[in-house]
Amino acid sequence: WLESKFQNKRPVFFSCNSKTLQKLNLCCHPIIWNFQYTLCCLQLTEMFCFCRNTFRMIEQDDFDIGSKLHTIVRGEDEAAMVESVGLALVKLPDVIQRLKPDILVVHGDRFDALALATAAALMNIRILHLEGGEVSGTIDDSIRHAISKLAHYHACCTRMAEQHLIAMCEDHSRILLAGCPSYDKLLLPHHREDYMDIIKSWLGDKVQEGDYIVALQHPVTTDIQHSIKIYGLMLDALISFNKKTLILFPNIDAGSKEMVRVMRRKGIEQHPNFRAVKHIPFEQFIQLVSHAGCMIGNSSCGVREAGAFGTPVINLGTRQTGRETGENVLHVRDADTHNKIYHALELQFGKRYPCSKIYGDGNAVPRILKFLRSIDLDEPLQKTFCFPPVKDPISQDIDHILETQSALAVDLGGTNLRVAIVCMRGTIVKKYSQPNPKTFEARMELILKMCNDAMRDAVGLNCRILGVGVSTGGRVNPQDGVVLHSTKLIQEWSSVDLRTPISDALHLPVWVDNDGNCAALAERKFGHGKGVENFVTVITGTGIGGGIIHHNELVHGSTFCAAELGHIMVSLEGPECMCGSRGCIEAYASGMALQREAKKLHDEDLLKVEGMDMKLSEPITAAHLINAAKMGNSKADAVLTKAATALGVGIINILHIVNPSQVILSGVLASCYQAPVQHVISQRALFSVQNIKVVTSDLEEPALLGAASMVLDYATRRIY
């Protein structure tokens, strides 16, 4: 395999820092065995005070060090970290050009590793990132994820980390769920016969197994002052707890100098219960952690490696927030008092927990080696991302980007002809109104003129007109855009093709429907019917109309006269209706019916009550009847009660036939009828429909909004 893959090729290239060395030290011999002709190491001076000696650990394991770079700028503050990255970026290009590696292996989330990954990516070197996708709650997260975005391949430790990488749009085929390399060693029997000698060499002859604490706290670079405060509280708690404690110096991240000052102010280095050290060989550190009574601090070792031993851990602050942990970890995220940390020590010290395998099963190194062998060095270097599918935009032209989708809505009323520009959100941007002419020719001429005016205004209003929707009274064939038969309110309006002349003149698609159906469509898109699968809209205005939505679709019927709700008969011998029949709902409850009854009362001098203002020249309308009823006129109230009862009985018939889940009253009389109609339903309907709610519409212009909704719904259903 070596001859076929790597003969006469450039070496695999590892970045090594002291934390990486601890991991490589566990598995260096099998790597050397397989890659002894293809490996070189780059020594990057890094975070611990003993870093000047880490290269000796590499040499002891028979690695050839290709280059040594000093990249750390002293100062232990934010500026020093930035300068260290900059210094590394200055020195690295010459080294990379000389060594010319095929693959660079970068570990973890340190700022020096970010410099190395940046240089390699810009110099077209393949990168394998170890332990990406994890979350720890500090600036290390940003660094780790930045390295992941630069890397071409990933070997992660946990299933959650793998899912995080996938969520970051990394190619699933280039992600290896390997586990943590250090666990290959940690999950081996860690009980050495000389472990007590190691413990005593660091903590003294009198210390016993499980009767000491290991403390390791690092600064949090995103909240330095708070982490220094927590460090002081931890030291106070440890002093009070009065147990032998092995405390390691913090790393050299920004804030570490201040933490060391806190430690020295409290006399930790001279305290008889403490042993403060800067470095412990990894093999010995394993024994010290595995046999400790407790580990405290915020090191990743506590929330990761210590789980392999079942050692109880107290994690302080936010530095490891987001890490996956075993049950051995007790979090004290808001470590704001000495007593809280002391109480945590009382709870954890001396316990033992089951060993955790969250971060590995002991076979990470063989997996990573196999993954390295599988990398095809001849495949394209260009990194690809697996972005999630994005819904196609409605259009790709510049007009859709610059303009707002809108509709022209036309309402052909008995009195007025109205046109409006309505945007996708249901806002009426601009409205036009003119008296409705008496003849067909004059009517069509006015419609086209008003629509052309609106289209010109739409340009200045930044609206893109998608089509025209027309709402009109009478029976309409919406498939052909033809008014089959209109009401007496609009004369000379029978078998009229509205779609063709408007579409030809404006060069836009045109939809036409009955005004009651349009009111239902308006409620479905903008009103109470939004998200309701089955409902009925009843218009209570000059006439009575409505629409039925069944399974989210408008019901038209075989001859397009479904939902003629105003002509449901509620009496065989009722008043005459404009349709020619008797006893229709419209004959009782429409505005014209109430106006008729108001005139009768007025003629008999029974309408006016004390305090009611009526001018002699003022025509009598339904409003006078309603006003008189509110002021205590019993005759007027009786008329309204009879009208509401007739409407309620008609709606009960609808409930028994269609069984909607909601009834919406629309129009100027809706607020007068809502409560009495709900009462009639509760008294007279079948038990199964008595609880169906009757609500009043919140829409001010249901006819216009319904006409617009036809355009906005259907014109945007196209797939571009």
Side-chain angles (χ1 to χ4, degrees):
W1 177 81
L2 285 171
E3 291 178 353
S4 63
K5 274 288 184 187
F6 282 97
Q7 191 171 20
N8 299 322
K9 291 197 175 183
R10 300 186 300 277
V12 178
F13 185 28
F14 282 82
S15 73
C16 294
N17 54 39
S18 55
K19 184 185 287 188
T20 310
L21 288 173
Q22 292 178 0
K23 299 177 184 298
L24 288 177
N25 197 37
L26 307 178
C27 55
C28 58
H29 296 299
I31 291 183
I32 289 296
W33 179 257
N34 286 291
F35 291 94
Q36 56 184 327
Y37 301 109
T38 62
L39 278 179
C40 65
C41 278
L42 175 68
Q43 167 67 30
L44 286 181
T45 305
E46 84 71 87
M47 55 188 174
F48 295 108
C49 296
F50 60 89
C51 58
R52 63 183 181 273
N53 296 318
T54 55
F55 74 93
R56 301 195 187 280
M57 299 171 65
I58 303 173
E59 292 175 336
Q60 289 171 3
D61 291 319
D62 297 327
F63 281 96
D64 292 326
I65 297 177
S67 186
K68 298 178 185 177
L69 298 180
H70 181 81
T71 61
I72 294 300
V73 176
R74 293 297 173 183
E76 291 80 35
D77 57 15
E78 296 95 331
M81 293 167 64
V82 177
E83 291 170 0
S84 297
V85 173
L87 182 58
L89 285 172
V90 170
K91 293 184 176 182
L92 280 168
D94 290 339
V95 176
I96 294 176
Q97 280 185 330
R98 177 168 54 83
L99 297 176
K100 296 181 179 179
D102 282 309
I103 302 171
L104 184 142
V105 181
V106 181
H107 164 260
D109 53 17
R110 300 296 303 164
F111 56 83
D112 49 351
L114 176 61
L116 188 56
T118 303
L122 292 173
M123 297 181 72
N124 293 323
I125 305 296
R126 299 173 194 274
I127 301 171
L128 170 64
H129 185 206
L130 301 181
E131 300 186 11
E134 295 181 25
V135 178
S136 58
T138 69
I139 191 61
D140 292 352
D141 280 345
S142 299
I143 295 173
R144 184 189 303 105
H145 300 331
I147 295 172
S148 292
K149 302 313 293 180
L150 293 169
H152 304 83
Y153 308 94
H154 309 272
C156 57
C157 296
T158 69
R159 180 70 64 185
M160 185 178 293
E162 180 186 36
Q163 293 303 312
H164 288 165
L165 288 170
I166 294 172
M168 291 163 63
C169 305
E170 295 299 309
D171 188 344
H172 187 280
S173 65
R174 295 190 172 193
I175 301 173
L176 170 70
L177 178 56
C180 180
S182 63
Y183 266 56
D184 289 20
K185 181 72 173 180
L186 299 179
L187 293 179
L188 294 174
H190 55 268
H191 186 88
R192 282 175 38 170
E193 292 182 359
D194 62 344
Y195 74 92
M196 281 305 302
D197 294 336
I198 295 172
I199 294 172
K200 290 179 179 180
S201 69
W202 289 98
L203 289 161
D205 293 337
K206 295 182 180 180
V207 71
Q208 299 296 318
E209 177 185 359
D211 196 36
Y212 62 91
I213 297 169
V214 175
L216 180 53
Q217 180 91 358
H218 300 304
V220 177
T221 56
T222 53
D223 195 356
I224 294 173
Q225 293 305 314
H226 186 61
S227 64
I228 294 170
K229 176 184 176 183
I230 292 177
Y231 189 63
L233 293 172
M234 179 191 75
L235 295 178
D236 290 339
L238 289 171
I239 292 170
S240 300
F241 200 67
N242 197 30
K243 290 289 182 182
K244 282 287 186 179
T245 301
L246 179 69
I247 184 166
L248 283 82
F249 277 67
N251 65 23
I252 64 163
D253 281 351
S256 61
K257 283 198 305 185
E258 289 83 354
M259 293 176 73
V260 172
R261 289 193 189 105
V262 170
M263 184 172 67
R264 286 174 175 160
R265 268 201 314 270
K266 295 181 182 294
I268 296 299
E269 290 173 291
Q270 290 76 41
H271 197 286
N273 276 348
F274 286 84
R275 174 78 188 277
V277 298
K278 295 180 178 179
H279 168 57
I280 301 174
F282 186 64
E283 288 285 350
Q284 297 182 36
F285 186 70
I286 290 175
Q287 301 303 314
L288 289 164
V289 172
S290 65
H291 297 285
C294 181
M295 184 174 183
I296 188 171
N298 64 2
S299 169
S300 61
C301 176
V303 298
R304 292 175 55 124
E305 283 84 356
F309 314 128
T311 301
V313 172
I314 299 170
N315 180 53
L316 302 177
T318 60
R319 189 172 187 266
Q320 301 301 332
T321 298
R323 289 274 196 196
E324 297 171 77
T325 63
E327 59 181 299
N328 64 309
V329 178
L330 174 64
H331 293 283
V332 188
R333 293 191 174 93
D334 189 14
D336 54 351
T337 65
H338 154 272
N339 288 337
K340 189 181 291 185
I341 300 174
Y342 186 89
H343 186 55
L345 285 165
E346 288 183 319
L347 290 174
Q348 284 288 78
F349 187 79
K351 285 187 177 180
R352 301 311 297 179
Y353 291 90
C355 295
S356 168
K357 294 187 178 181
I358 293 175
Y359 286 92
D361 61 359
N363 296 297
V365 171
R367 291 192 186 101
I368 295 172
L369 292 176
K370 184 178 179 181
F371 188 57
L372 275 170
R373 295 187 188 106
S374 70
I375 295 174
D376 183 0
L377 299 178
D378 295 322
E379 69 180 355
L381 182 65
Q382 177 61 50
K383 179 174 178 176
T384 58
F385 299 96
C386 295
F387 294 108
V390 179
K391 185 178 180 181
D392 291 336
I394 292 173
S395 178
Q396 295 297 328
D397 63 342
I398 191 65
D399 291 334
H400 256 296
I401 298 172
L402 299 177
E403 299 171 357
T404 303
Q405 292 179 328
S406 301
L408 281 187
V410 180
D411 177 30
L412 284 165
T415 305
N416 293 318
L417 194 159
R418 301 184 303 158
V419 173
I421 302 171
V422 182
C423 74
M424 185 65 77
R425 292 187 295 271
T427 303
I428 296 178
V429 180
K430 191 168 184 179
K431 184 166 59 174
Y432 312 79
S433 181
Q434 293 285 344
N436 200 345
K438 300 299 183 182
T439 65
F440 167 75
E441 291 78 10
R443 211 169 279 154
M444 289 304 305
E445 183 180 350
L446 183 58
I447 289 173
L448 295 178
K449 179 183 181 303
M450 294 175 71
C451 286
N452 277 311
D453 290 345
M455 289 186 66
R456 280 194 298 270
D457 292 343
V459 176
L461 294 168
N462 198 32
C463 297
R464 182 187 180 198
I465 303 299
L466 300 177
V468 182
V470 181
S471 168
T472 181
R475 187 163 59 96
V476 178
N477 178 349
Q479 298 171 2
D480 299 330
V482 174
V483 180
L484 298 174
H485 182 265
S486 188
T487 64
K488 292 181 181 179
L489 296 175
I490 306 177
Q491 302 296 328
E492 300 180 11
W493 205 252
S494 182
S495 297
V496 173
D497 180 2
L498 285 180
R499 174 178 295 164
T500 301
I502 297 175
S503 181
D504 289 347
L506 302 179
H507 306 290
L508 288 171
V510 177
W511 287 265
V512 185
D513 213 330
N514 169 267
D515 52 5
N517 289 337
C518 286
L521 292 174
E523 294 294 340
R524 184 183 69 176
K525 188 168 184 67
F526 304 115
H528 290 299
K530 195 172 184 178
V532 180
E533 188 174 2
N534 301 288
F535 68 90
V536 171
T537 297
V538 180
I539 303 175
T540 58
T542 305
I544 299 290
I548 299 172
I549 299 293
H550 185 64
H551 294 316
N552 292 316
E553 294 294 335
L554 191 61
V555 176
H556 284 100
S558 60
T559 58
F560 312 109
C561 67
E564 285 289 353
L565 307 182
H567 301 292
I568 295 175
M569 286 190 288
V570 294
S571 172
L572 295 177
E573 299 296 333
E576 185 178 355
C577 181
M578 292 189 66
C579 70
S581 184
R582 286 184 173 275
C584 298
I585 296 175
E586 189 170 293
Y588 285 99
S590 67
M592 293 187 67
L594 295 181
Q595 183 183 33
R596 182 188 66 235
E597 296 300 318
K599 285 181 178 180
K600 288 181 181 179
L601 292 176
H602 179 66
D603 291 343
E604 298 172 7
D605 202 22
L606 298 175
L607 182 62
K608 190 174 180 180
V609 295
E610 185 177 352
M612 182 176 175
D613 184 20
M614 282 182 62
K615 297 178 182 178
L616 294 176
S617 60
E618 186 178 24
I620 302 301
T621 65
H624 293 105
L625 183 79
I626 295 170
N627 192 28
K630 288 180 179 178
M631 298 182 71
N633 188 317
S634 59
K635 297 292 185 181
D637 186 66
V639 172
L640 281 180
T641 301
K642 186 176 182 180
T645 302
L647 180 61
V649 170
I651 290 175
I652 288 172
N653 291 333
I654 299 170
L655 298 181
H656 291 169
I657 296 169
V658 183
N659 192 28
S661 57
Q662 183 174 256
V663 176
I664 303 171
L665 294 183
S666 180
V668 294
L669 301 174
S671 58
C672 297
Y673 286 141
Q674 188 268 333
V677 166
Q678 186 78 70
H679 178 72
V680 172
I681 292 173
S682 66
Q683 294 295 315
R684 299 195 181 193
L686 291 175
F687 177 77
S688 57
V689 296
Q690 286 180 1
N691 292 325
I692 289 177
K693 293 295 182 184
V694 178
V695 298
T696 57
S697 175
D698 295 331
L699 304 179
E700 294 184 4
E701 298 285 359
L704 287 173
L705 292 177
S709 72
M710 291 190 289
V711 178
L712 299 175
D713 280 345
Y714 296 114
T716 57
R717 283 186 180 180
R718 290 174 290 174
I719 299 176
Y720 290 82

